[in-house]
Amino acid sequence: MTALARRLDTPDRLEPADDTILAALPHIRRELEPGQYLVRDQGHPKYCCFLLSGFTIRHKFVGDGARQIVAINLPGDFVDLQHVLLETADHNVEALTACSVALIDAAALVDGAFASPAIGKALWRHSLVEASIFREWMANIGRRDGRARTAHLLCEVGVRRETAGLGARAQFELPMTQEQLGDALGLTAVHVNRSLRGLEAEGLIARTRRSVTVLDWNGLAAAADFDPAYLHHR
Amino acid sequence: MTALARRLDTPDRLEPADDTILAALPHIRRELEPGQYLVRDQGHPKYCCFLLSGFTIRHKFVGDGARQIVAINLPGDFVDLQHVLLETADHNVEALTACSVALIDAAALVDGAFASPAIGKALWRHSLVEASIFREWMANIGRRDGRARTAHLLCEVGVRRETAGLGARAQFELPMTQEQLGDALGLTAVHVNRSLRGLEAEGLIARTRRSVTVLDWNGLAAAADFDPAYLHHR
DNA sequence: CGATAAGTTGAGAGTACTCAACCACGGTGG
DNA sequence: CCACCGTGGTTGAGTACTCTCAACTTATCG
């Protein structure tokens, strides 16, 4: 679980004793295929999933069958930290790509959090940063038009990938279909397509099937009304 | 701070020692007038606000000046629990009505959380439930039409008020203008007006200027696609 | 009782959706 | 090796939901 220790080492430095606690957490490794569900809405997971590699999405369905993707998770993210203290899942977690995950015993993780304030603060803080991203997504979906929404998601993924050490923010793989992008943005796949092509026509981005190159980061950020403060990075 | 102890007494029971810790938290009481700001975006609050009476809203502005209300807080809610561990505010907090609040020293609250796991779990859980509400709002804004969105907000406020002991879910004051409702729902005030009048015409609700009576709870919940599971009540 | 904020209504515009057809890429099997 | 097939991407046309703007009404407050 060195990946876990590395992820929790900010903002407060972990002590060697903390590393010991983390290393001793009961967990199992699992490999997931694209499309595989990790958590089902209304389920009662007893573990907490830490994403080692790959992308996951979290989504919920509304009455008419439409879907809202509420989060995209990158390596180094806890995918369902809420299940350490909430008994019943309120949404689904699904592997977007092939993934490696560590399933950590939820009760043990809570014990670890209260055995070491540094661990506890890092985990709690993780929950809080995630909530901040949710708030920005609400503003994005509720108050920006299709073009800005789409651009905002590209900016966020670029920055978060960069922060996670997965490469430059201006060039990355985005392993989502336009249908999935639409579900994340509150748009239809058709409208996502037109938004992406619009950004491309403006010279802000270039695309191949699943990779995005930002040609003009400042221009894209302006189109997106993107300010990374909500990510609460250091 | 008996209100605080009462709020944190679930899901785990607090011990007398916990009550002692809570009672000793350094805090100041403050009375707020409608419209007064408690926290400003990009500010660095050193306290954490517990709402004793009144309503607050939390909102953020996007580039073109539009506003998204990301949360409505009721008495017994922590209004800005994220500031115990995040240094910089990512949104504004504003009093919707006259409010009484307790401003608790953030560092002391964190210390209390790690001095007593029961307190720490209750606070962390509070953050997680809030995040669940954010997710539902994302789905609401992104994937439901104006009528359903509006109905959903009414259902949520009704249930949360009831749970907070403020009265029956079917009859309550909603001290928000249609402009504010629109900012919470990602709609314009005009469209909120039409949605509310539509729900009224269907016989689901009755309204006076600021109070709502639900005439047909099941009908309204069906129109809203409302399932209270995301509130994670006991 | 006037002033102001909020609510209501109508008409026209625009963004985003729906439906449907067509295209492009990747994978598979003959 | 290449044709076929399926998923996903692209495009156009028509529709519909929501917005904008503006006027008018109603409530509240000094």
Side-chain angles (χ1 to χ4, degrees):
Chain A
M1 301 298 282
T2 50
L4 178 56
R6 211 159 44 234
R7 178 61 157 88
L8 299 181
D9 198 31
T10 50
D12 294 326
R13 312 303 301 186
L14 296 184
E15 303 289 324
D18 299 324
D19 291 337
T20 308
I21 292 172
L22 293 176
L25 287 175
H27 66 279
I28 53 176
R29 281 282 294 270
R30 188 175 294 174
E31 306 299 319
L32 303 172
E33 290 167 27
Q36 201 173 338
Y37 275 61
L38 258 167
V39 177
R40 295 262 179 194
D41 197 354
Q42 301 179 44
H44 302 281
K46 293 287 178 291
Y47 52 79
C48 185
C49 172
F50 181 73
L51 189 55
L52 295 163
S53 73
F55 284 56
T56 62
I57 52 174
R58 296 156 56 190
H59 56 84
K60 54 198 304 176
F61 291 99
V62 299
D64 65 356
R67 180 173 80 151
Q68 177 67 45
I69 293 177
V70 296
I72 300 170
N73 288 112
L74 274 51
D77 285 348
F78 276 94
V79 155
D80 62 341
L81 198 48
Q82 65 276 3
H83 297 128
V84 295
L85 291 173
L86 299 179
E87 311 68 32
T88 306
D90 54 65
H91 62 281
N92 307 286
V93 180
E94 185 180 355
L96 190 58
T97 64
C99 293
S100 294
V101 300
L103 302 180
I104 305 171
D105 184 81
L109 191 59
V110 172
D111 290 344
F114 289 102
S116 159
I119 295 174
K121 285 182 199 178
L123 291 173
W124 190 0
R125 187 176 200 279
H126 190 293
S127 306
L128 295 175
V129 170
E130 181 173 276
S132 174
I133 296 173
F134 292 160
R135 289 190 289 270
E136 183 66 27
W137 279 40
M138 264 189 265
N140 202 37
I141 297 168
R143 287 300 187 214
R144 294 193 186 105
D145 65 16
R147 169 177 173 267
R149 259 186 252 189
T150 307
H152 197 279
L153 184 67
L154 296 180
C155 288
E156 177 178 317
V157 172
V159 169
R160 286 176 56 200
R161 282 184 52 104
E162 187 177 68
T163 305
L166 298 175
R169 67 173 60 179
Q171 214 289 312
F172 54 89
E173 299 293 309
L174 185 62
M176 296 175 73
T177 65
Q178 294 180 355
E179 176 101 42
Q180 291 166 334
L181 289 171
D183 284 346
L185 295 168
L187 298 171
T188 57
V190 171
H191 201 67
V192 169
N193 182 280
R194 296 195 224 265
S195 298
L196 285 171
R197 311 216 101 229
L199 294 172
E200 204 168 13
E202 292 178 65
L204 298 174
I205 63 171
R207 296 177 309 137
T208 63
R209 195 167 186 72
R210 289 290 158 81
S211 90
V212 176
T213 304
V214 180
L215 300 175
D216 175 1
W217 180 269
N218 291 338
L220 187 67
D225 183 31
F226 179 76
D227 174 351
Y230 73 94
L231 295 170
H232 293 279
H233 287 151
R234 298 303 186 90
Chain B
M1 301 298 282
T2 50
L4 179 57
R6 211 159 44 233
R7 179 61 158 86
L8 299 181
D9 198 31
T10 51
D12 294 326
R13 312 304 299 187
L14 296 183
E15 303 290 324
D18 299 324
D19 291 337
T20 308
I21 292 173
L22 293 176
L25 287 174
H27 66 280
I28 52 177
R29 281 282 294 270
R30 188 175 293 175
E31 307 299 319
L32 302 172
E33 289 167 26
Q36 202 173 337
Y37 275 62
L38 257 166
V39 177
R40 295 262 177 194
D41 197 354
Q42 301 179 45
H44 302 281
K46 294 286 177 292
Y47 52 79
C48 185
C49 172
F50 182 73
L51 189 55
L52 295 163
S53 73
F55 284 58
T56 62
I57 52 174
R58 295 155 57 189
H59 56 84
K60 54 199 303 178
F61 292 99
V62 299
D64 65 357
R67 181 173 79 150
Q68 177 68 43
I69 293 176
V70 296
I72 300 170
N73 287 112
L74 274 51
D77 284 348
F78 276 94
V79 155
D80 62 341
L81 198 48
Q82 66 274 4
H83 297 127
V84 296
L85 291 174
L86 300 177
E87 310 68 31
T88 305
D90 53 66
H91 62 282
N92 307 285
V93 180
E94 185 180 353
L96 189 57
T97 64
C99 293
S100 294
V101 300
L103 302 180
I104 305 171
D105 184 80
L109 190 59
V110 172
D111 290 344
F114 289 102
S116 158
I119 294 173
K121 284 182 200 178
L123 291 173
W124 190 0
R125 187 176 200 278
H126 189 293
S127 307
L128 295 175
V129 171
E130 182 174 276
S132 174
I133 295 173
F134 293 160
R135 289 190 289 269
E136 184 65 28
W137 279 39
M138 264 189 264
N140 201 37
I141 297 168
R143 287 298 188 216
R144 295 193 186 104
D145 65 16
R147 169 177 172 268
R149 260 187 251 189
T150 307
H152 197 278
L153 184 66
L154 296 180
C155 288
E156 177 177 317
V157 172
V159 168
R160 286 177 57 200
R161 282 184 51 104
E162 187 177 69
T163 305
L166 298 174
R169 68 173 58 178
Q171 214 289 312
F172 54 87
E173 298 294 309
L174 184 62
M176 295 176 75
T177 65
Q178 293 180 357
E179 175 100 43
Q180 291 166 334
L181 289 171
D183 284 346
L185 295 168
L187 298 171
T188 57
V190 172
H191 202 68
V192 169
N193 182 281
R194 296 195 224 265
S195 298
L196 285 171
R197 311 216 100 228
L199 295 172
E200 204 168 11
E202 292 178 66
L204 298 174
I205 62 172
R207 296 177 307 137
T208 63
R209 192 166 187 71
R210 289 290 157 81
S211 91
V212 176
T213 304
V214 180
L215 300 174
D216 175 359
W217 180 269
N218 290 339
L220 187 66
D225 183 32
F226 179 78
D227 174 352
Y230 73 95
L231 295 170
H232 293 279
H233 286 152
R234 298 304 187 88

